[in-house]
Amino acid sequence: MAPSSIAILGGGLTGLSAAFHLSRRFPAAQITLLNKDIHFGGWVHSRRAKITLKDGRETSVLLEAGPRTLRPNSKSVLELINLLDLSPFLLTVPKSSPAARNRFLHLPGTKGLLCIPSSPLSILTSGLSPKSSSLHSPLGHILLSAVAREPFRLWNRPLMIEDESVDEFLSRRFGSEFARIFGSALVHGIYAADSRELSVRAAFPSLWDAEERGRGSLVTGLLRPSRASATAEVNDLPYQLGDVDEQMRGVSVYSFSQGIGALVDALLRELRTRRNVRLVGGVSATGLRMNPRTAQFEITTSSCETLRATHTVSAVPLPSLKGLLSPKTPLPHLTANPYSSVTVVNLVFLASPGHVLHPVGFGYLVPRASSRHAENAILGCVFDSSSMSTQEAPWSADIVKMTAMLREPVASIARLVDMLSEQLGVRLPDPLVVRVHDNAHCIPLLRVGHLQRMQELSEVLQGEPWSSKLEVIGAGVGGVSVGDCVEAGRRAGRNWA
Ligand SMILES: Cc1cc2nc3c(=O)[nH]c(=O)nc-3n(C[C@H](O)[C@H](O)[C@H](O)COP(=O)(O)OP(=O)(O)OC[C@H]3O[C@@H](n4cnc5c(N)ncnc54)[C@H](O)[C@@H]3O)c2cc1C
C-alpha cells in the first residue's frame, strides 16, 4: 500500500535527498523530516570568512569543514544539479588540468612531497622523458613494478572468502609496499581510517569485480569494460540529467561557487515550497517503534511529541538508530562499524610574489608509516587554491588557501604550521585565517564483512514487525561519498507501491 505519511529521521544529505525524491513520488503523502541539529546538511558546512587583502580591500574566502569536491560519476547528484537549477553555480576542474593531474604523497620520516604518476601510462611515458619528476620519484618505480607484474600473478584470492581488507586485497595483487603506500594513503584521504580494517568490497567494489573480470588480474579486469554497470543503467529508473551530463564531460571534480553547501541550500529551498513536506530542525527522534495495533510507526521526539507515520526512513548514523529502538525489536549490526574522527583545519595565507607555498595540484596524502612510532598526525592536505581557485575570484591570486586533515585535535596552530612546512618543504608564513573543525565520529569505517551484515539487516527489515516499511539508509549503510548518500535517498521507498 502506498504510504500516507512518511517520517524521515536525519536531515543530512541522505535524509534531504530522500525527502526530495519521496515528495515527488508520493505527492499525496505527508512527509515530516526531523533533524537533531538546527543546521540541516549534516557534515556539510560551507562558510565564508571575511578577510582584508594587503592593499586593504575586503573580501571573503569560502571554507569547507566537510565535503569539498565531488566526482561526476554519481548520476544522482548530477540529477539534483539539473532538477534544482544549480548548473550556473558549478565550478569544474578538467581532468587535463594540473590541478587534477598533480597529486602528491608525503612519506612519513622524509621531507617534502613526491609526485604520484597520474596513470600507468604516464609512468611509462615519464620513463622516456629525462625531465619528468615522476621518473626520479621512488613512487614511479614502486608503481611501475607493481602494475607491470600484476597481470602475471596467478589468481590468488583464497577460496571461499567473500571479503577482505583493502590492505590484504592490494597486498595480494600488488605487494605489501604498494598496499601500505598507495592503499593506506587513499583510505586516509577518503575514510580517515586504517586500510587494514576497511572492507574492499564495501569501499571499492569495482576493484573486487575487476579482479573477477580479469580472472585474477585486477589490471586486466580494469581494462575490460564492465557489463554489470551497463545492465544496471538499462533496468533502472532513468536519471533526469538535462545537459549536466554533457557539462561534466572531461571533468575530474567539481563544486559550486558557494561550496557543497549550495546543494543543501537548494534542497531546503525546494523542500520548503512543497506542501506535503514539513522540515523540523533542532528536534531529535528519541524513540522508534511499530505499534502492532495501528500498524503505524510511533516516533517520540525531544520536543515531547509523538509523530505517527505509516512509513519511516532512518537516515541517522546507525549507532543513533540503535539508541531509538526498544530492546524488544532490535536490529542487527548497527554498531558493527566504528566511526573515524577527523580534525579539519582551513588555513588562508596572503600570497607573496616569488614565495610559492605549494606546487600546483590537488594536494597530498600521508600514507601509513612503516613503523607505528613514526605515524603522522596529518592525514593529508588539500590545495584549495589550485583545485577550487575560482571560489575566490577575482581575488584568487591574492591568497593561498589549503585544508589540512588530521587524525586528532590540534594541540597548537604554530606546531601544525611547522609540520605542514616540513611536509611541503617550504616555510609557511603566519596564516591570515585559521578555522579548526573537530569532526568527531564523522565517517563510518565499513569493516570487512559489511555487505553481508547489511544484507542481514535488510532481511530483518523485511520481516515482522517492520514489513519493509522502515528503510535504513545513510553513509553507514550504502557508502560514505556524497554520491552514495544522495543515491540512497533517491532509492528510499522504491518498493513502497
Ligand atoms: C570531514 C569530511 C570530509 C568529507 N569529504 C567528502 C568529499 O570531499 N566528497 C564526498 O563525496 N564525501 C565527503 N565526505 C563524506 C560525506 O560528506 C558524508 O558521508 C555525508 O555527508 C553523510 O551524510 P548523511 O546524511 O548520511 O549523514 P550525516 O551528515 O551524518 O547526517 C545525519 C543527520 O542526522 C541527524 N541526526 C542524528 N541523530 C538524530 C536523531 N536522533 N534524530 C533526528 N536527527 C538526527 C544529524 O543532526 C545529522 O544532520 C566527507 C565527510 C567528512 C566528515
Side-chain angles (χ1 to χ4, degrees), residues 10-15 34-37 41-44 65-70 283-285 315-317 320 324 344 439 442-443 474-475 480-482 485:
L13 274 173
T14 306
L34 294 182
N35 191 48
K36 182 167 91 175
D37 303 315
W43 292 110
V44 180
R68 61 195 47 251
T69 47
L70 308 178
V283 173
S284 49
V316 299
S320 305
L324 305 183
V344 171
N439 298 331
C442 58
I443 305 181
V480 306
S481 77
V482 165
C485 294

Side-chain angles (χ1 to χ4, degrees), residues 315-327:
V316 299
L318 295 186
S320 305
L321 173 61
K322 185 180 165 99
L324 305 183
L325 299 172
S326 140

